[in-house]
Amino acid sequence: MKRLLLILLIAVPLSASADGGVLGFLKKVGTFIDSMSVSGVDRRYIDAPEKPWQLILQGNLNQSDLKMNAVLDGKTMFSDDWGDINWEPRIKTDLATYMGVWAGYRGYGLGYSRNTGGDKGSIFKLGAMGGAYGVNLRIHKFRTNEPTVHVAGYMPEWNEYSFNYTLSNPIKVRLLTLDGYYLFNGKRFSYAAAYDQSVIQKRSAGSLMAGAMYYHSTMAYDEGQNADFILFMNDIGKMKQYQVSVGGGYAYNLVPCKGLLVSAMGMLMATVYNRLDVWRYNSNFRQMMLEKYVEPEETAEYDEPDVEMSEEDIDEYMRKTFSVWPMEKNPKVTQHSRMIPVINARLSVTYNLGNWFFNANAMLHDFRFKHESNKGSLTDWFVNASVGVRL
């Protein structure tokens, strides 16, 4: 890889300097992209603006909904009177707002946004859209330490309740989505007109689509101070999921009047590669639970909190007493799962006014995972609102 980069760094300037220097080389690249943006298209339906650059100010509204489920054997932690317990943490982030910029040339560009409210995180986007194809990369990171937990099971009789669980160290989530598509009617339908405004859709048209998606997520809460939470997740403290999905769908661009474009796309995909890596962690927290509830006559040495303490003081006491444990990391376990459906849906509204354009678009992703008695799903959606200018 280093040798390839070195060759490119040497070859590109040499080839460029041989015919007009670097600026001449870049001009040729721009001319090639210009021709590709309208190559083979019906100009009655699709047109390329004279000014090739797009500079866009973006606002983003985002929410992620992570659901996890673990089935525990209560006998291993409490007593023989206990049965199976369903431990279901759910992380539904607050509506998060992001502000950022995107810059591109004829549909090829990148953008970056930072959080301004809600969950703590960032979004990086990279896009390349041609006449009949497109590739988009999106990276989203966020963290939270306040999941909502629903518990149901025999304890030792049937009980069911929900509560907010405060972690000493947050659950950190990172999502990477790389999706590409091919249009069977790229002659009259433009995906780029709806999502980066590098071309203009002049008449209504639709197209069947073929698509592929690579998805990677990391969910980690593997800190010693989270030993109690890890225990109730069947000792799992970190997960990585890899999915490759392929499928097809349909998209339609509606042009009800000059300058206005409404675009909708729906795609049903199936995973052809579905891998989940998990890391389990050991601590003496499980032994403490056994000593406390199964063998009360041999309890661990610790002082009970003062009954006169406030709720805040008791919470802090419990956190310090029961949650700070040395963690032992076990070898990674990999599981390949069966084929599952994946939904990919988008909606966009664009208004062109001279060199200026205004856009709002939304996307929904839904992913699922399963490992032994643990399972879950992650739904990620966002709405973008932007104003841009062609330069």
Side-chain angles (χ1 to χ4, degrees):
M1 178 61 73
K2 291 182 178 179
R3 182 176 297 177
L4 176 61
L5 290 174
L6 181 61
I7 292 173
L8 290 174
L9 289 173
I10 295 174
V12 170
L14 287 178
S15 62
S17 61
D19 187 15
V22 176
L23 292 178
F25 174 76
L26 293 177
K27 185 176 180 180
K28 288 184 176 181
V29 172
T31 302
F32 175 75
I33 295 176
D34 290 344
S35 64
M36 286 291 293
S37 65
V38 294
S39 177
V41 304
D42 188 335
R43 299 299 288 268
R44 296 174 302 167
Y45 285 79
I46 301 170
D47 197 13
E50 293 183 3
K51 297 184 177 181
W53 288 94
Q54 304 92 47
L55 181 62
I56 304 174
L57 177 63
Q58 293 183 329
N60 178 279
L61 187 65
N62 188 97
Q63 188 173 49
S64 299
D65 189 0
L66 173 61
K67 300 177 183 178
M68 297 184 286
N69 176 277
V71 179
L72 310 171
D73 183 358
K75 297 182 181 65
T76 64
M77 291 186 293
F78 301 101
S79 70
D80 291 339
D81 296 332
W82 291 64
D84 287 344
I85 303 170
N86 285 307
W87 175 266
E88 300 178 349
R90 181 178 184 182
I91 303 168
K92 190 173 185 179
T93 64
D94 295 334
L95 288 176
T97 54
Y98 293 77
M99 291 296 295
V101 296
W102 192 94
Y105 185 93
R106 297 290 190 204
Y108 297 82
L110 54 87
Y112 182 76
S113 299
R114 286 291 300 177
N115 165 264
T116 57
D119 65 35
K120 298 179 180 179
S122 60
I123 298 173
F124 172 77
K125 292 184 288 186
L126 178 66
M129 296 188 184
Y133 67 89
V135 179
N136 297 284
L137 171 67
R138 182 173 183 265
I139 301 173
H140 179 210
K141 297 186 290 184
F142 66 91
R143 59 176 60 195
T144 182
N145 63 346
E146 295 183 350
T148 299
V149 177
H150 179 74
V151 180
Y154 291 91
M155 305 175 274
E157 58 185 25
W158 179 263
N159 280 288
E160 186 172 356
Y161 53 93
S162 299
F163 60 98
N164 292 327
Y165 198 99
T166 302
L167 292 167
S168 295
N169 284 284
I171 298 174
K172 296 181 283 289
V173 181
R174 179 181 181 272
L175 312 174
L176 182 151
T177 306
L178 175 64
D179 66 290
Y181 64 87
Y182 177 80
L183 302 170
F184 293 98
N185 187 22
K187 183 177 181 179
R188 295 181 175 178
F189 173 89
S190 173
Y191 194 76
Y195 292 98
D196 69 12
Q197 293 73 51
S198 57
V199 297
I200 297 174
Q201 185 86 40
K202 298 166 65 177
R203 294 185 180 182
S204 300
S207 178
L208 291 172
M209 304 174 67
M213 178 185 297
Y214 171 72
Y215 166 77
H216 172 58
S217 66
T218 301
M219 291 165 277
Y221 41 91
D222 50 342
E223 300 287 345
Q225 293 173 323
N226 295 335
D228 49 352
F229 189 83
I230 292 173
L231 175 63
F232 289 114
M233 288 300 298
N234 279 322
D235 300 325
I236 294 176
K238 183 178 181 180
M239 293 179 284
K240 287 188 177 183
Q241 185 179 16
Y242 307 82
Q243 285 187 355
V244 177
S245 304
V246 295
Y250 188 79
Y252 190 79
N253 281 351
L254 174 66
V255 184
C257 61
K258 184 178 179 180
L260 181 61
L261 170 63
V262 180
S263 178
M265 182 274 284
M267 187 175 294
L268 180 61
M269 313 181 84
T271 56
V272 294
Y273 180 77
N274 190 8
R275 168 183 157 188
L276 184 67
D277 294 340
V278 301
W279 286 263
R280 283 190 163 90
Y281 294 80
N282 297 330
S283 72
N284 56 358
F285 191 83
R286 182 183 295 275
Q287 182 60 32
M288 185 278 294
M289 296 288 287
L290 289 171
E291 292 173 346
K292 172 66 176 175
Y293 294 99
V294 180
E295 302 172 1
E297 69 278 4
E298 300 178 7
T299 57
E301 294 183 2
Y302 61 89
D303 296 326
E304 295 288 349
D306 190 338
V307 294
E308 299 299 327
M309 296 170 67
S310 67
E311 289 187 9
E312 292 78 9
D313 291 337
I314 292 177
D315 287 343
E316 181 66 18
Y317 173 89
M318 296 294 286
R319 181 64 53 194
K320 290 182 178 179
T321 305
F322 296 128
S323 299
V324 184
W325 303 101
M327 302 296 294
E328 179 185 352
K329 185 177 182 180
N330 291 322
K332 177 181 68 176
V333 176
T334 298
Q335 175 177 303
H336 294 273
S337 302
R338 60 182 176 82
M339 185 179 295
I340 58 175
V342 175
I343 299 173
N344 188 2
R346 296 190 182 188
L347 179 67
S348 172
V349 178
T350 304
Y351 185 71
N352 292 284
L353 183 63
N355 291 324
W356 291 85
F357 53 88
F358 308 87
N359 174 263
N361 65 80
M363 175 184 285
L364 169 69
H365 283 147
D366 181 59
F367 303 96
R368 300 179 183 276
F369 58 89
K370 188 178 188 302
H371 179 74
E372 298 177 354
S373 61
N374 287 41
K375 61 182 179 179
S377 66
L378 176 60
T379 302
D380 188 37
W381 66 265
F382 65 83
V383 176
N384 283 330
S386 60
V387 56
V389 60
R390 298 184 179 96
L391 302 172

